[in-house]
Amino acid sequence: MFKRKILEELAKWKGREFRKPLVIRGARQVGKTTAINMFSEQFEQYIYLNLEKEEERQIFEQNYPFTDLVTNLFIYAGKKRNGGSTLIFIDEIQNSPKAIALLRYFYEEANDLFVITAGSLLESIINRKISFPVGRVEYMAIHPCSFKEFLYATNNELLVTELEKPEVPAFLHNQLTAQFKKYATIGGMPEVLKLYANGTDISSLGSVYESLIYSFSDDVEKYAVSSAQTTYIRHIIDYAFAMGGTKITFEKFGNSEYRSREMREAFRSLEKTMLIQIVYPSITLEVPVSPSLKRKPRLHVLDTGLINHARGLMGALVFNENIGDTHRGIIAEHITGQELLASNFSISNKLNFWVRDKKESSAEVDYILPWQGKLIPIEVKSGSIGKLKSLHQFIDRAPHNIAVRVYQGEYLVQKAKTIAGKTFTLVNLPFYLVHRIEQELDKLR
């Protein structure tokens, strides 16, 4: 059990006066239950309920007043109602629509209790006639472990301390880069990190990745809307991780004979589980970001380590001189996106990239980030400034002059000029600082 950043967010939730029951959303195996168990140490009492168990599900299925429900809950757990601060964690809540409906009463009639819910298949029931009480709950997203959490897991707490300083010491650049290469290789799935931290060799982690992928596939029947869609989703899972980070077409995805409409709907169902994200490009240069659904999307998957496993790249990044040299930079771009997601716990946080609104143009910026009313272009590149042609085209047309380049070099803020002559500020950000990109942009103000 190693420190997770979400514990700090949970502590903020705990301290709010007008707190609502919290719904933790995230894919299976990203550490939801473990994180809440760790958070429970901040309370005098902890009640854990798993609604996959019939006896615990029945607590919420009885037709009695809410006050009696709460009394019964405490009696079942062997706790006292006035026994001090109490955290109630209702796990696998998707198994009881009635329990979901009752969350509103915890907010309205028992706000002294701290209530958190989660479920490995929670996403699949949302918008399926089962909805959480509007305005009576709040949400928080959890993703695979970030680079900082990787450092915690591998007993590198001192490096985390340095990463949290306003200015990271330059002499640590090579050491932090070496650690980030390892992170970019194995990814951030907690089970994998635990084994790696305990001495398992990278080359021996294959069976763990396989078991994770099989577990995702085994759950298909629980969230597919039909037997036909079960087949489509299983096919997607078979091919998605190897194709993570690339642009895809729904028609005949993964060398299949499946049609676009069938696959599009299957992708949407799978996206609700947070195993994948379909990232459509935007042609806009200003907020709000408006995805262009007619353009070819990019496939972002749960974890970069799963991509490396599926592609047989395991171990390659550790020994490569430059992260961007591996598989045409796809892995570098994907791990950057993974860090952007892991640094934000809002359920509305999505990845976006930019393409120029011109058919014959191939200009494309890896990511765009809303910041202070601006859309900041982010390029993941190892080349010189002059080679950032797509970024130059974005800046030439944008109503601001700030851009970010993520690369393996040292931190550097410099004045630059586009090919067309527009002066702009370029923040050159090492991979290990992606998690604090907004903090670095704030310095420019």
Side-chain angles (χ1 to χ4, degrees), residues 1-4 145-157 160 179 183 186-199:
M1 296 173 68
F2 48 87
K3 184 177 178 181
R4 297 294 303 268
C145 296
S146 66
F147 175 55
K148 284 174 63 176
E149 292 167 336
F150 167 85
L151 293 177
Y152 278 122
T154 53
N155 297 316
N156 283 294
E157 293 91 344
V160 177
Q179 291 296 330
Y183 169 65
I186 70 172
M189 297 303 288
E191 184 180 357
V192 174
L193 288 189
K194 178 182 176 181
L195 290 172
Y196 176 70
N198 288 331

PDB file of all heavy atoms in Angstrom, residues 1-4 145-157 160 179 183 186-199:
ATOM      1  N   MET A   1       0.842  -1.183   0.000  1.00  0.00           N
ATOM      2  CA  MET A   1       0.000   0.000   0.000  1.00  0.00           C
ATOM      3  C   MET A   1       0.884   1.241   0.000  1.00  0.00           C
ATOM      4  O   MET A   1       1.631   1.482   0.946  1.00  0.00           O
ATOM      5  CB  MET A   1      -0.919   0.006   1.216  1.00  0.00           C
ATOM      6  CG  MET A   1      -1.923  -1.151   1.214  1.00  0.00           C
ATOM      7  SD  MET A   1      -2.878  -1.263   2.726  1.00  0.00           S
ATOM      8  CE  MET A   1      -3.862   0.221   2.611  1.00  0.00           C
ATOM      9  N   PHE A   2       0.842   1.998  -1.081  1.00  0.00           N
ATOM     10  CA  PHE A   2       1.669   3.190  -1.185  1.00  0.00           C
ATOM     11  C   PHE A   2       0.775   4.413  -1.367  1.00  0.00           C
ATOM     12  O   PHE A   2      -0.399   4.313  -1.706  1.00  0.00           O
ATOM     13  CB  PHE A   2       2.653   3.067  -2.353  1.00  0.00           C
ATOM     14  CG  PHE A   2       2.019   2.599  -3.638  1.00  0.00           C
ATOM     15  CD1 PHE A   2       1.446   3.500  -4.525  1.00  0.00           C
ATOM     16  CD2 PHE A   2       1.990   1.248  -3.966  1.00  0.00           C
ATOM     17  CE1 PHE A   2       0.857   3.072  -5.704  1.00  0.00           C
ATOM     18  CE2 PHE A   2       1.402   0.804  -5.144  1.00  0.00           C
ATOM     19  CZ  PHE A   2       0.838   1.724  -6.023  1.00  0.00           C
ATOM     20  N   LYS A   3       1.329   5.564  -1.129  1.00  0.00           N
ATOM     21  CA  LYS A   3       0.553   6.793  -1.118  1.00  0.00           C
ATOM     22  C   LYS A   3      -0.030   7.093  -2.495  1.00  0.00           C
ATOM     23  O   LYS A   3       0.656   6.991  -3.504  1.00  0.00           O
ATOM     24  CB  LYS A   3       1.436   7.958  -0.664  1.00  0.00           C
ATOM     25  CG  LYS A   3       0.687   9.271  -0.538  1.00  0.00           C
ATOM     26  CD  LYS A   3       1.585  10.378  -0.014  1.00  0.00           C
ATOM     27  CE  LYS A   3       0.824  11.693   0.066  1.00  0.00           C
ATOM     28  NZ  LYS A   3       1.672  12.804   0.559  1.00  0.00           N
ATOM     29  N   ARG A   4      -1.325   7.476  -2.507  1.00  0.00           N
ATOM     30  CA  ARG A   4      -1.994   7.888  -3.727  1.00  0.00           C
ATOM     31  C   ARG A   4      -2.410   9.346  -3.592  1.00  0.00           C
ATOM     32  O   ARG A   4      -2.879   9.801  -2.557  1.00  0.00           O
ATOM     33  CB  ARG A   4      -3.247   7.032  -4.001  1.00  0.00           C
ATOM     34  CG  ARG A   4      -2.999   5.548  -4.231  1.00  0.00           C
ATOM     35  CD  ARG A   4      -2.230   5.252  -5.498  1.00  0.00           C
ATOM     36  NE  ARG A   4      -2.848   5.764  -6.699  1.00  0.00           N
ATOM     37  CZ  ARG A   4      -3.698   5.081  -7.474  1.00  0.00           C
ATOM     38  NH1 ARG A   4      -4.042   3.851  -7.138  1.00  0.00           N
ATOM     39  NH2 ARG A   4      -4.186   5.614  -8.581  1.00  0.00           N
ATOM     40  N   CYS A 145      -1.893   4.799 -11.557  1.00  0.00           N
ATOM     41  CA  CYS A 145      -0.945   5.603 -10.789  1.00  0.00           C
ATOM     42  C   CYS A 145      -0.155   6.568 -11.676  1.00  0.00           C
ATOM     43  O   CYS A 145       0.245   6.230 -12.797  1.00  0.00           O
ATOM     44  CB  CYS A 145       0.033   4.692 -10.054  1.00  0.00           C
ATOM     45  SG  CYS A 145      -0.770   3.655  -8.811  1.00  0.00           S
ATOM     46  N   SER A 146       0.071   7.750 -11.147  1.00  0.00           N
ATOM     47  CA  SER A 146       0.862   8.768 -11.827  1.00  0.00           C
ATOM     48  C   SER A 146       2.347   8.494 -11.614  1.00  0.00           C
ATOM     49  O   SER A 146       2.730   7.588 -10.864  1.00  0.00           O
ATOM     50  CB  SER A 146       0.519  10.146 -11.273  1.00  0.00           C
ATOM     51  OG  SER A 146       0.924  10.227  -9.906  1.00  0.00           O
ATOM     52  N   PHE A 147       3.196   9.317 -12.232  1.00  0.00           N
ATOM     53  CA  PHE A 147       4.638   9.159 -12.057  1.00  0.00           C
ATOM     54  C   PHE A 147       5.029   9.369 -10.597  1.00  0.00           C
ATOM     55  O   PHE A 147       5.845   8.621 -10.053  1.00  0.00           O
ATOM     56  CB  PHE A 147       5.390  10.137 -12.959  1.00  0.00           C
ATOM     57  CG  PHE A 147       6.887  10.111 -12.754  1.00  0.00           C
ATOM     58  CD1 PHE A 147       7.590   8.925 -12.858  1.00  0.00           C
ATOM     59  CD2 PHE A 147       7.578  11.278 -12.440  1.00  0.00           C
ATOM     60  CE1 PHE A 147       8.978   8.896 -12.653  1.00  0.00           C
ATOM     61  CE2 PHE A 147       8.952  11.263 -12.242  1.00  0.00           C
ATOM     62  CZ  PHE A 147       9.656  10.079 -12.348  1.00  0.00           C
ATOM     63  N   LYS A 148       4.445  10.370  -9.947  1.00  0.00           N
ATOM     64  CA  LYS A 148       4.766  10.597  -8.539  1.00  0.00           C
ATOM     65  C   LYS A 148       4.372   9.394  -7.691  1.00  0.00           C
ATOM     66  O   LYS A 148       5.100   8.998  -6.774  1.00  0.00           O
ATOM     67  CB  LYS A 148       4.051  11.860  -8.029  1.00  0.00           C
ATOM     68  CG  LYS A 148       4.690  13.152  -8.503  1.00  0.00           C
ATOM     69  CD  LYS A 148       3.866  14.356  -8.086  1.00  0.00           C
ATOM     70  CE  LYS A 148       3.770  14.505  -6.600  1.00  0.00           C
ATOM     71  NZ  LYS A 148       3.051  15.745  -6.204  1.00  0.00           N
ATOM     72  N   GLU A 149       3.247   8.785  -7.998  1.00  0.00           N
ATOM     73  CA  GLU A 149       2.828   7.594  -7.260  1.00  0.00           C
ATOM     74  C   GLU A 149       3.739   6.412  -7.557  1.00  0.00           C
ATOM     75  O   GLU A 149       3.981   5.562  -6.687  1.00  0.00           O
ATOM     76  CB  GLU A 149       1.369   7.279  -7.586  1.00  0.00           C
ATOM     77  CG  GLU A 149       0.416   8.332  -7.020  1.00  0.00           C
ATOM     78  CD  GLU A 149      -0.991   8.238  -7.570  1.00  0.00           C
ATOM     79  OE1 GLU A 149      -1.170   7.686  -8.689  1.00  0.00           O
ATOM     80  OE2 GLU A 149      -1.913   8.712  -6.898  1.00  0.00           O
ATOM     81  N   PHE A 150       4.247   6.346  -8.782  1.00  0.00           N
ATOM     82  CA  PHE A 150       5.246   5.335  -9.123  1.00  0.00           C
ATOM     83  C   PHE A 150       6.470   5.498  -8.231  1.00  0.00           C
ATOM     84  O   PHE A 150       7.030   4.509  -7.721  1.00  0.00           O
ATOM     85  CB  PHE A 150       5.634   5.473 -10.594  1.00  0.00           C
ATOM     86  CG  PHE A 150       6.873   4.702 -10.990  1.00  0.00           C
ATOM     87  CD1 PHE A 150       6.799   3.367 -11.334  1.00  0.00           C
ATOM     88  CD2 PHE A 150       8.118   5.332 -11.016  1.00  0.00           C
ATOM     89  CE1 PHE A 150       7.940   2.649 -11.685  1.00  0.00           C
ATOM     90  CE2 PHE A 150       9.259   4.634 -11.374  1.00  0.00           C
ATOM     91  CZ  PHE A 150       9.171   3.287 -11.711  1.00  0.00           C
ATOM     92  N   LEU A 151       6.886   6.741  -8.027  1.00  0.00           N
ATOM     93  CA  LEU A 151       8.048   6.991  -7.168  1.00  0.00           C
ATOM     94  C   LEU A 151       7.766   6.577  -5.728  1.00  0.00           C
ATOM     95  O   LEU A 151       8.623   5.999  -5.050  1.00  0.00           O
ATOM     96  CB  LEU A 151       8.438   8.470  -7.224  1.00  0.00           C
ATOM     97  CG  LEU A 151       8.990   8.967  -8.569  1.00  0.00           C
ATOM     98  CD1 LEU A 151       9.266  10.468  -8.508  1.00  0.00           C
ATOM     99  CD2 LEU A 151      10.257   8.215  -8.964  1.00  0.00           C
ATOM    100  N   TYR A 152       6.561   6.858  -5.233  1.00  0.00           N
ATOM    101  CA  TYR A 152       6.196   6.409  -3.894  1.00  0.00           C
ATOM    102  C   TYR A 152       6.260   4.878  -3.802  1.00  0.00           C
ATOM    103  O   TYR A 152       6.778   4.312  -2.843  1.00  0.00           O
ATOM    104  CB  TYR A 152       4.784   6.864  -3.540  1.00  0.00           C
ATOM    105  CG  TYR A 152       4.682   8.291  -3.046  1.00  0.00           C
ATOM    106  CD1 TYR A 152       3.870   9.217  -3.691  1.00  0.00           C
ATOM    107  CD2 TYR A 152       5.378   8.702  -1.903  1.00  0.00           C
ATOM    108  CE1 TYR A 152       3.760  10.522  -3.232  1.00  0.00           C
ATOM    109  CE2 TYR A 152       5.273  10.004  -1.435  1.00  0.00           C
ATOM    110  CZ  TYR A 152       4.460  10.910  -2.105  1.00  0.00           C
ATOM    111  OH  TYR A 152       4.362  12.198  -1.641  1.00  0.00           O
ATOM    112  N   ALA A 153       5.715   4.218  -4.824  1.00  0.00           N
ATOM    113  CA  ALA A 153       5.645   2.757  -4.808  1.00  0.00           C
ATOM    114  C   ALA A 153       7.025   2.114  -4.819  1.00  0.00           C
ATOM    115  O   ALA A 153       7.214   1.024  -4.279  1.00  0.00           O
ATOM    116  CB  ALA A 153       4.826   2.263  -6.004  1.00  0.00           C
ATOM    117  N   THR A 154       7.977   2.798  -5.453  1.00  0.00           N
ATOM    118  CA  THR A 154       9.320   2.234  -5.600  1.00  0.00           C
ATOM    119  C   THR A 154      10.310   2.814  -4.592  1.00  0.00           C
ATOM    120  O   THR A 154      11.516   2.811  -4.822  1.00  0.00           O
ATOM    121  CB  THR A 154       9.835   2.455  -7.038  1.00  0.00           C
ATOM    122  OG1 THR A 154       9.732   3.851  -7.377  1.00  0.00           O
ATOM    123  CG2 THR A 154       9.017   1.650  -8.033  1.00  0.00           C
ATOM    124  N   ASN A 155       9.768   3.326  -3.483  1.00  0.00           N
ATOM    125  CA  ASN A 155      10.603   3.835  -2.376  1.00  0.00           C
ATOM    126  C   ASN A 155      11.514   4.979  -2.783  1.00  0.00           C
ATOM    127  O   ASN A 155      12.672   5.061  -2.366  1.00  0.00           O
ATOM    128  CB  ASN A 155      11.430   2.693  -1.768  1.00  0.00           C
ATOM    129  CG  ASN A 155      10.564   1.615  -1.152  1.00  0.00           C
ATOM    130  OD1 ASN A 155       9.603   1.914  -0.448  1.00  0.00           O
ATOM    131  ND2 ASN A 155      10.876   0.358  -1.441  1.00  0.00           N
ATOM    132  N   ASN A 156      10.974   5.869  -3.612  1.00  0.00           N
ATOM    133  CA  ASN A 156      11.721   7.057  -4.022  1.00  0.00           C
ATOM    134  C   ASN A 156      11.039   8.332  -3.509  1.00  0.00           C
ATOM    135  O   ASN A 156      10.894   9.319  -4.236  1.00  0.00           O
ATOM    136  CB  ASN A 156      11.844   7.104  -5.549  1.00  0.00           C
ATOM    137  CG  ASN A 156      12.886   6.150  -6.082  1.00  0.00           C
ATOM    138  OD1 ASN A 156      14.080   6.310  -5.837  1.00  0.00           O
ATOM    139  ND2 ASN A 156      12.436   5.135  -6.802  1.00  0.00           N
ATOM    140  N   GLU A 157      10.625   8.298  -2.245  1.00  0.00           N
ATOM    141  CA  GLU A 157       9.931   9.444  -1.659  1.00  0.00           C
ATOM    142  C   GLU A 157      10.760  10.719  -1.702  1.00  0.00           C
ATOM    143  O   GLU A 157      10.214  11.822  -1.844  1.00  0.00           O
ATOM    144  CB  GLU A 157       9.545   9.141  -0.206  1.00  0.00           C
ATOM    145  CG  GLU A 157       8.491   8.060  -0.052  1.00  0.00           C
ATOM    146  CD  GLU A 157       9.101   6.671   0.088  1.00  0.00           C
ATOM    147  OE1 GLU A 157      10.305   6.526  -0.230  1.00  0.00           O
ATOM    148  OE2 GLU A 157       8.392   5.747   0.511  1.00  0.00           O
ATOM    149  N   VAL A 160      10.181  12.505  -4.821  1.00  0.00           N
ATOM    150  CA  VAL A 160       8.879  13.176  -4.816  1.00  0.00           C
ATOM    151  C   VAL A 160       8.988  14.521  -4.119  1.00  0.00           C
ATOM    152  O   VAL A 160       8.443  15.530  -4.581  1.00  0.00           O
ATOM    153  CB  VAL A 160       7.810  12.305  -4.127  1.00  0.00           C
ATOM    154  CG1 VAL A 160       6.479  13.061  -4.057  1.00  0.00           C
ATOM    155  CG2 VAL A 160       7.625  10.990  -4.863  1.00  0.00           C
ATOM    156  N   GLN A 179      14.062   7.322 -14.034  1.00  0.00           N
ATOM    157  CA  GLN A 179      12.898   6.766 -13.343  1.00  0.00           C
ATOM    158  C   GLN A 179      11.642   6.873 -14.215  1.00  0.00           C
ATOM    159  O   GLN A 179      10.809   5.958 -14.232  1.00  0.00           O
ATOM    160  CB  GLN A 179      12.671   7.487 -12.010  1.00  0.00           C
ATOM    161  CG  GLN A 179      13.719   7.212 -10.952  1.00  0.00           C
ATOM    162  CD  GLN A 179      13.744   5.754 -10.523  1.00  0.00           C
ATOM    163  OE1 GLN A 179      12.738   5.058 -10.544  1.00  0.00           O
ATOM    164  NE2 GLN A 179      14.922   5.275 -10.141  1.00  0.00           N
ATOM    165  N   TYR A 183       8.828   4.105 -15.538  1.00  0.00           N
ATOM    166  CA  TYR A 183       7.380   4.315 -15.409  1.00  0.00           C
ATOM    167  C   TYR A 183       6.689   4.207 -16.760  1.00  0.00           C
ATOM    168  O   TYR A 183       5.634   3.573 -16.886  1.00  0.00           O
ATOM    169  CB  TYR A 183       7.135   5.686 -14.787  1.00  0.00           C
ATOM    170  CG  TYR A 183       5.693   6.140 -14.825  1.00  0.00           C
ATOM    171  CD1 TYR A 183       4.702   5.459 -14.123  1.00  0.00           C
ATOM    172  CD2 TYR A 183       5.325   7.264 -15.559  1.00  0.00           C
ATOM    173  CE1 TYR A 183       3.378   5.880 -14.151  1.00  0.00           C
ATOM    174  CE2 TYR A 183       4.008   7.698 -15.594  1.00  0.00           C
ATOM    175  CZ  TYR A 183       3.041   7.009 -14.895  1.00  0.00           C
ATOM    176  OH  TYR A 183       1.738   7.432 -14.930  1.00  0.00           O
ATOM    177  N   ILE A 186       6.452   0.289 -17.607  1.00  0.00           N
ATOM    178  CA  ILE A 186       5.534  -0.622 -16.920  1.00  0.00           C
ATOM    179  C   ILE A 186       4.157  -0.011 -16.680  1.00  0.00           C
ATOM    180  O   ILE A 186       3.191  -0.730 -16.415  1.00  0.00           O
ATOM    181  CB  ILE A 186       6.124  -1.130 -15.588  1.00  0.00           C
ATOM    182  CG1 ILE A 186       6.178  -0.011 -14.547  1.00  0.00           C
ATOM    183  CG2 ILE A 186       7.493  -1.744 -15.799  1.00  0.00           C
ATOM    184  CD1 ILE A 186       6.567  -0.501 -13.176  1.00  0.00           C
ATOM    185  N   GLY A 187       4.035   1.314 -16.783  1.00  0.00           N
ATOM    186  CA  GLY A 187       2.742   1.959 -16.593  1.00  0.00           C
ATOM    187  C   GLY A 187       2.406   2.143 -15.127  1.00  0.00           C
ATOM    188  O   GLY A 187       3.285   2.100 -14.255  1.00  0.00           O
ATOM    189  N   GLY A 188       1.095   2.327 -14.848  1.00  0.00           N
ATOM    190  CA  GLY A 188       0.700   2.681 -13.496  1.00  0.00           C
ATOM    191  C   GLY A 188      -0.367   1.813 -12.876  1.00  0.00           C
ATOM    192  O   GLY A 188      -1.042   2.245 -11.933  1.00  0.00           O
ATOM    193  N   MET A 189      -0.571   0.589 -13.380  1.00  0.00           N
ATOM    194  CA  MET A 189      -1.558  -0.294 -12.740  1.00  0.00           C
ATOM    195  C   MET A 189      -1.025  -0.733 -11.369  1.00  0.00           C
ATOM    196  O   MET A 189       0.090  -1.262 -11.275  1.00  0.00           O
ATOM    197  CB  MET A 189      -1.852  -1.502 -13.617  1.00  0.00           C
ATOM    198  CG  MET A 189      -2.494  -1.140 -14.968  1.00  0.00           C
ATOM    199  SD  MET A 189      -4.037  -0.208 -14.804  1.00  0.00           S
ATOM    200  CE  MET A 189      -5.145  -1.500 -14.217  1.00  0.00           C
ATOM    201  N   PRO A 190      -1.792  -0.517 -10.296  1.00  0.00           N
ATOM    202  CA  PRO A 190      -1.287  -0.782  -8.943  1.00  0.00           C
ATOM    203  C   PRO A 190      -0.739  -2.186  -8.728  1.00  0.00           C
ATOM    204  O   PRO A 190       0.287  -2.354  -8.064  1.00  0.00           O
ATOM    205  CB  PRO A 190      -2.523  -0.525  -8.069  1.00  0.00           C
ATOM    206  CG  PRO A 190      -3.312   0.488  -8.829  1.00  0.00           C
ATOM    207  CD  PRO A 190      -3.127   0.109 -10.276  1.00  0.00           C
ATOM    208  N   GLU A 191      -1.410  -3.200  -9.270  1.00  0.00           N
ATOM    209  CA  GLU A 191      -0.936  -4.569  -9.074  1.00  0.00           C
ATOM    210  C   GLU A 191       0.439  -4.772  -9.681  1.00  0.00           C
ATOM    211  O   GLU A 191       1.310  -5.442  -9.103  1.00  0.00           O
ATOM    212  CB  GLU A 191      -1.932  -5.560  -9.680  1.00  0.00           C
ATOM    213  CG  GLU A 191      -1.561  -7.019  -9.444  1.00  0.00           C
ATOM    214  CD  GLU A 191      -2.549  -7.993 -10.056  1.00  0.00           C
ATOM    215  OE1 GLU A 191      -3.573  -7.543 -10.623  1.00  0.00           O
ATOM    216  OE2 GLU A 191      -2.303  -9.206  -9.966  1.00  0.00           O
ATOM    217  N   VAL A 192       0.649  -4.170 -10.860  1.00  0.00           N
ATOM    218  CA  VAL A 192       1.956  -4.269 -11.520  1.00  0.00           C
ATOM    219  C   VAL A 192       3.016  -3.546 -10.702  1.00  0.00           C
ATOM    220  O   VAL A 192       4.122  -4.071 -10.475  1.00  0.00           O
ATOM    221  CB  VAL A 192       1.874  -3.677 -12.946  1.00  0.00           C
ATOM    222  CG1 VAL A 192       3.257  -3.638 -13.579  1.00  0.00           C
ATOM    223  CG2 VAL A 192       0.918  -4.484 -13.807  1.00  0.00           C
ATOM    224  N   LEU A 193       2.688  -2.337 -10.234  1.00  0.00           N
ATOM    225  CA  LEU A 193       3.657  -1.567  -9.445  1.00  0.00           C
ATOM    226  C   LEU A 193       4.039  -2.295  -8.166  1.00  0.00           C
ATOM    227  O   LEU A 193       5.202  -2.275  -7.752  1.00  0.00           O
ATOM    228  CB  LEU A 193       3.078  -0.194  -9.105  1.00  0.00           C
ATOM    229  CG  LEU A 193       2.972   0.827 -10.244  1.00  0.00           C
ATOM    230  CD1 LEU A 193       2.588   2.190  -9.694  1.00  0.00           C
ATOM    231  CD2 LEU A 193       4.268   0.932 -11.020  1.00  0.00           C
ATOM    232  N   LYS A 194       3.063  -2.922  -7.540  1.00  0.00           N
ATOM    233  CA  LYS A 194       3.341  -3.642  -6.298  1.00  0.00           C
ATOM    234  C   LYS A 194       4.366  -4.749  -6.530  1.00  0.00           C
ATOM    235  O   LYS A 194       5.336  -4.896  -5.765  1.00  0.00           O
ATOM    236  CB  LYS A 194       2.040  -4.228  -5.749  1.00  0.00           C
ATOM    237  CG  LYS A 194       2.204  -5.034  -4.474  1.00  0.00           C
ATOM    238  CD  LYS A 194       0.876  -5.614  -4.016  1.00  0.00           C
ATOM    239  CE  LYS A 194       1.049  -6.498  -2.791  1.00  0.00           C
ATOM    240  NZ  LYS A 194      -0.234  -7.093  -2.339  1.00  0.00           N
ATOM    241  N   LEU A 195       4.168  -5.533  -7.589  1.00  0.00           N
ATOM    242  CA  LEU A 195       5.103  -6.627  -7.878  1.00  0.00           C
ATOM    243  C   LEU A 195       6.470  -6.091  -8.273  1.00  0.00           C
ATOM    244  O   LEU A 195       7.504  -6.608  -7.835  1.00  0.00           O
ATOM    245  CB  LEU A 195       4.536  -7.507  -9.003  1.00  0.00           C
ATOM    246  CG  LEU A 195       3.318  -8.355  -8.626  1.00  0.00           C
ATOM    247  CD1 LEU A 195       2.729  -9.020  -9.856  1.00  0.00           C
ATOM    248  CD2 LEU A 195       3.706  -9.401  -7.591  1.00  0.00           C
ATOM    249  N   TYR A 196       6.486  -5.040  -9.109  1.00  0.00           N
ATOM    250  CA  TYR A 196       7.762  -4.460  -9.530  1.00  0.00           C
ATOM    251  C   TYR A 196       8.531  -3.909  -8.331  1.00  0.00           C
ATOM    252  O   TYR A 196       9.741  -4.112  -8.203  1.00  0.00           O
ATOM    253  CB  TYR A 196       7.503  -3.364 -10.557  1.00  0.00           C
ATOM    254  CG  TYR A 196       8.757  -2.634 -10.995  1.00  0.00           C
ATOM    255  CD1 TYR A 196       9.712  -3.268 -11.778  1.00  0.00           C
ATOM    256  CD2 TYR A 196       8.987  -1.316 -10.601  1.00  0.00           C
ATOM    257  CE1 TYR A 196      10.871  -2.611 -12.174  1.00  0.00           C
ATOM    258  CE2 TYR A 196      10.134  -0.647 -10.985  1.00  0.00           C
ATOM    259  CZ  TYR A 196      11.076  -1.299 -11.766  1.00  0.00           C
ATOM    260  OH  TYR A 196      12.211  -0.640 -12.147  1.00  0.00           O
ATOM    261  N   ALA A 197       7.813  -3.226  -7.440  1.00  0.00           N
ATOM    262  CA  ALA A 197       8.464  -2.653  -6.258  1.00  0.00           C
ATOM    263  C   ALA A 197       9.016  -3.727  -5.336  1.00  0.00           C
ATOM    264  O   ALA A 197       9.982  -3.492  -4.602  1.00  0.00           O
ATOM    265  CB  ALA A 197       7.471  -1.769  -5.498  1.00  0.00           C
ATOM    266  N   ASN A 198       8.408  -4.912  -5.374  1.00  0.00           N
ATOM    267  CA  ASN A 198       8.864  -6.011  -4.528  1.00  0.00           C
ATOM    268  C   ASN A 198       9.939  -6.869  -5.186  1.00  0.00           C
ATOM    269  O   ASN A 198      10.250  -7.955  -4.708  1.00  0.00           O
ATOM    270  CB  ASN A 198       7.682  -6.885  -4.115  1.00  0.00           C
ATOM    271  CG  ASN A 198       6.790  -6.193  -3.091  1.00  0.00           C
ATOM    272  OD1 ASN A 198       7.268  -5.374  -2.324  1.00  0.00           O
ATOM    273  ND2 ASN A 198       5.512  -6.525  -3.093  1.00  0.00           N
ATOM    274  N   GLY A 199      10.460  -6.392  -6.308  1.00  0.00           N
ATOM    275  CA  GLY A 199      11.609  -7.060  -6.911  1.00  0.00           C
ATOM    276  C   GLY A 199      11.346  -7.890  -8.146  1.00  0.00           C
ATOM    277  O   GLY A 199      12.271  -8.493  -8.703  1.00  0.00           O
TER     278      GLY A 199
END
